[in-house]
Amino acid sequence: MVIEWLRFKVPPEKWEEFILRDEEVWTAGLRSFSGYLGKEVWVDAVENEVVMLIRWKTREQWKSVPQSTIDELDAKMGDLQMPIAESREYQVRKFLH
């Protein structure tokens, strides 16, 4: 499994609206892609950040999402499209004992 980790700077008064629109646009859009496993949303009230952790079965499936789809979903965010402040990628490893 691979984790797509995204951090957004979001004004506190827009948290709820941003998260709801992301669910309607991005989460709904990604569900149709093979390999999408789910998403968690974390809010940091101290740093005024929203962090999204998106789980994918494989890196190849994640990276197979076409740029045209990414652009289309970004556009659907409208006035709530926030720039990504930071992104990371994590590989989840399971060790057998």
Side-chain angles (χ1 to χ4, degrees), residues 11 20 28 37 60 71:
L20 287 173
L37 298 175
E60 292 73 25
D71 295 342

Side-chain angles (χ1 to χ4, degrees), residues 4-96:
E4 175 185 7
W5 184 94
L6 305 172
R7 182 172 59 87
F8 301 87
K9 284 287 194 184
V10 181
E13 65 275 8
K14 294 192 180 233
W15 285 345
E16 190 167 338
E17 194 178 4
F18 172 73
I19 292 166
L20 287 173
R21 180 138 346 136
D22 179 81
E23 176 71 22
E24 294 167 358
V25 172
W26 274 100
T27 305
L30 293 177
R31 278 191 188 113
S32 66
F33 285 93
S34 176
Y36 173 78
L37 298 175
K39 177 192 272 185
E40 292 178 29
V41 178
W42 306 337
V43 176
D44 182 334
V46 174
E47 299 295 328
N48 294 330
E49 295 177 343
V50 175
V51 172
M52 296 188 180
L53 182 143
I54 302 110
R55 291 180 304 281
W56 294 92
K57 191 171 185 177
T58 68
R59 186 176 197 280
E60 292 73 25
Q61 289 170 312
W62 164 29
K63 295 299 184 177
S64 74
V65 176
Q67 185 61 47
S68 60
T69 299
I70 294 168
D71 295 342
E72 176 186 327
L73 295 174
D74 269 346
K76 287 182 178 179
M77 288 296 290
D79 62 332
L80 289 170
Q81 183 179 356
M82 301 284 172
I84 297 171
E86 184 179 4
S87 64
R88 297 181 186 179
E89 175 181 338
Y90 295 94
Q91 297 290 324
V92 177
R93 301 286 185 190
K94 293 185 181 183
F95 295 96
L96 301 174

